[in-house]
Amino acid sequence: MTTAPKQLHLAAHFPGVNSTTVWADPRSRSQIDFSSFEHLARTAERGLFDFFFLAEGLRLREHNGLIHDLDVVGRPESLTVLNALAAVTDRLGLAATVNATFNEPFELARRLATLDHLSAGRAGWNVVTSSDAFTGENFRRGGYLDRAERYTRAAEFVATARELWDSWTPDGTPRTFAHHGEHFSIEGEFTLPRPPQGHPVVIQAGDSPECCEFAASAADVIFTRHGTLEAGRAFYADVKGRLAKYGREPDELKIMPGVGFVLGDTDAEAREKAAEIRLQQVSPQNAMLALEQVWGRDLSSYDPDGPLPETDPVPDSELVQGRVRHGDPLAVATRWRALSREKGFSIRQTVIEATTRQSFIGSPRTVAAELAEFVAAGAADGFVLVPHLTPGGLDDFVDEVVPLLQERGVFRAAYTGSTLRSHLGLAEPVWKG
Ligand SMILES: Cc1cc2nc3c(=O)[nH]c(=O)nc-3n(C[C@H](O)[C@H](O)[C@H](O)COP(=O)(O)O)c2cc1C
């Protein structure tokens, strides 16, 4: 008896504000106009994707005290965008990144429940906690939480939101709720009946041990950076192994790395295109910015085509503000220097090599085969695709790769359900009234 191949899940990341989008490409459009969001969402729905995904940044990035101006800045508020997209799509899941450090459970639970009702069960919430003091200055409470506390607050936040979503009776009668915990002490009546999905899908973006533990206890999906086959398998085994202690089955948490892709008529052509795209994404100025972010000091006297600095990074530097930092600066600098020594790379070449996210590069047939292999090999349950063009970057993938995934029997030929939970194969949560 042959068993059906494991199905893969796909999500579309709106590239938005950063240098992922090749802004100099004449096909690039606004990151703010509704038409851009609509284009990418409609394309994702045409491709039968599980969900559309928006990232969040709550303060404009700064470099050396100035607003970052190498690529575009400024983006609209995510849940508002998703409510608008709910009106022009029918099945596509709609997921927004919303911070748990700077919001309050009652208000955010209400806004997420609203999206779930308006979209008939398609809402997803990517819970992030970034709480650097720089971002915190925009908020009443400031950057007042250390890292461990951010995650205890986030865990209590999600649990409280779920209590609010469950607070009405199954026959639609409002009931009072009361939550008294370490971070929140609230009582009252929630303003909406239970959302169509029970609870909107909870996503967790991150890969620190605190993130993974939180995800294992409370999330439905992890959005991660672990993209290579080996790193992906280790991460997958680690996270899935944490579920049992929370009484959960491995299938109850989907692991979806964020990945890039470049298609060509042949593998060689795609590789050439990919190299060209990376050169455009990592301009000489962007390479220096990435370097200064790690080193935390002004390195303007260095040549992007020359060697890396010999000095060590400044700890806790505030030179670059408002960007997510991945890893301890000294460890990153040591890795980058070793890479540059080993391959004879300049600053720019090192940044390109070290910061390229996992990408699937090749003809549509090669890319479809590799995506399927990742999932079959237990390195992921699916992917959050990050296109390099706003908003048309998914068009070719949907036209050329999706049919090949369907042909291989690893991707749906039609939506079989109408909610995001059903696309992801996740059960409706038990109603804890
Ligand atoms: C793939 C990925 C996407 C992320 N997207 C966002 C985002 O859109 N907004 C945000 O504030 N943080 C985002 N983060 C940051 C995480 O929430 C987290 O703060 C970061 O991974 C650092 O981990 P730590 O907070 O445990 O130190 C993202 C992280 C990863 C790995």
Side-chain angles (χ1 to χ4, degrees):
M1 196 180 80
T2 53
T3 48
K6 200 172 153 198
Q7 298 296 296
L8 59 84
H9 298 280
L10 290 176
H13 185 290
F14 184 80
V17 294
N18 52 36
S19 53
T20 298
T21 292
V22 177
W23 295 107
D25 189 302
R27 291 167 294 177
S28 295
R29 297 276 178 274
S30 165
Q31 85 286 10
I32 293 178
D33 278 4
F34 183 64
S35 59
S36 290
F37 295 103
E38 184 177 11
H39 182 116
L40 194 81
R42 282 190 191 274
T43 311
E45 185 160 78
R46 184 160 58 81
L48 308 171
F49 277 40
D50 294 54
F51 61 96
F52 172 94
F53 179 91
L54 289 172
E56 178 183 76
L58 292 173
R59 183 156 178 189
L60 298 185
R61 289 166 288 155
E62 285 184 14
H63 190 87
N64 221 352
L66 299 173
I67 302 281
H68 170 84
D69 67 353
L70 290 177
D71 47 58
V72 304
V73 293
R75 52 182 150 193
E77 191 279 314
S78 303
L79 286 173
T80 310
V81 173
L82 295 187
N83 282 313
L85 288 176
V88 296
T89 54
D90 187 34
R91 297 294 184 96
L92 183 69
L94 301 165
T97 304
V98 189
N99 198 288
T101 301
F102 303 122
N103 286 291
E104 294 297 322
F106 184 89
E107 177 57 10
L108 186 53
R110 197 167 75 87
R111 295 174 64 214
L112 287 160
T114 300
L115 175 62
D116 209 48
H117 280 289
L118 293 184
S119 65
R122 297 188 279 138
W125 170 26
N126 177 31
V127 185
V128 294
T129 61
S130 355
S131 70
D132 54 281
F134 174 76
T135 304
E137 283 169 11
N138 275 337
F139 297 87
R140 178 171 58 91
R141 290 170 191 269
Y144 72 112
L145 288 179
D146 67 23
R147 181 162 153 167
E149 224 188 327
R150 269 192 279 149
Y151 285 101
T152 58
R153 187 182 201 271
E156 190 178 332
F157 196 123
V158 173
T160 308
R162 286 176 169 153
E163 288 166 26
L164 296 173
W165 292 327
D166 279 353
S167 64
W168 288 36
T169 64
D171 66 8
T173 310
R175 264 188 316 209
T176 55
F177 69 81
H179 175 98
H180 297 289
E182 187 189 340
H183 294 277
F184 311 107
S185 194
I186 53 175
E187 302 190 358
E189 271 159 18
F190 196 52
T191 50
L192 278 167
R194 198 176 197 237
Q197 293 186 99
H199 305 160
V201 167
V202 169
I203 305 168
Q204 149 72 36
D207 33 31
S208 66
E210 291 89 345
C211 284
C212 293
E213 205 55 40
F214 169 48
S217 70
D220 301 305
V221 176
I222 291 195
F223 174 29
T224 166
R225 285 185 310 139
H226 288 281
T228 66
L229 191 65
E230 305 75 56
R233 287 179 76 169
F235 182 77
Y236 192 93
D238 173 9
V239 172
K240 298 264 177 174
R242 293 172 193 249
L243 291 169
K245 73 168 176 271
Y246 299 103
R248 306 181 69 197
E249 296 293 326
D251 246 14
E252 291 178 42
L253 176 63
K254 307 294 179 196
I255 299 181
M256 299 180 67
V259 299
F261 62 91
V262 179
L263 303 174
D265 288 342
T266 62
D267 292 353
E269 186 196 294
R271 279 196 295 273
E272 239 172 73
K273 259 166 87 177
E276 184 55 35
I277 289 165
R278 284 305 282 152
L279 280 172
Q280 289 178 288
Q281 289 170 326
V282 186
S283 63
Q285 297 89 331
N286 260 321
M288 292 312 295
L289 180 134
L291 192 77
E292 290 187 348
Q293 179 176 9
V294 174
W295 262 260
R297 61 171 95 228
D298 178 1
L299 299 170
S300 49
S301 60
Y302 283 77
D303 176 0
D305 295 321
L308 272 73
E310 286 303 329
T311 50
D312 281 341
V314 178
D316 304 322
S317 161
E318 294 185 352
L319 186 83
V320 175
Q321 298 270 38
R323 275 179 178 254
V324 174
R325 285 197 175 83
H326 295 289
D328 161 55
L330 185 56
V332 175
T334 308
R335 233 177 17 247
W336 286 18
R337 280 201 201 108
L339 176 68
S340 143
R341 260 197 312 275
E342 187 198 328
K343 305 236 171 138
F345 279 169
S346 67
I347 289 173
R348 187 177 180 204
Q349 288 168 320
T350 305
V351 172
I352 288 178
E353 177 87 6
T355 62
T356 299
R357 71 160 56 80
Q358 172 68 26
S359 292
F360 291 85
I361 298 165
S363 68
R365 200 158 285 284
T366 300
V367 168
E370 288 183 359
L371 291 170
E373 187 199 330
F374 255 66
V375 170
D381 292 308
F383 305 90
V384 179
L385 296 180
V386 187
H388 64 268
L389 284 178
T390 300
L394 209 58
D395 300 3
D396 292 350
F397 186 95
V398 165
D399 292 332
E400 294 167 23
V401 181
V402 167
L404 296 174
L405 293 170
Q406 290 165 331
E407 201 179 287
R408 299 179 79 90
V410 296
F411 192 62
R412 63 176 69 88
Y415 284 116
T416 52
S418 60
T419 65
L420 175 54
R421 268 182 197 282
S422 68
H423 305 335
L424 289 165
L426 297 168
E428 187 178 308
V430 176
W431 198 322
K432 294 191 186 131

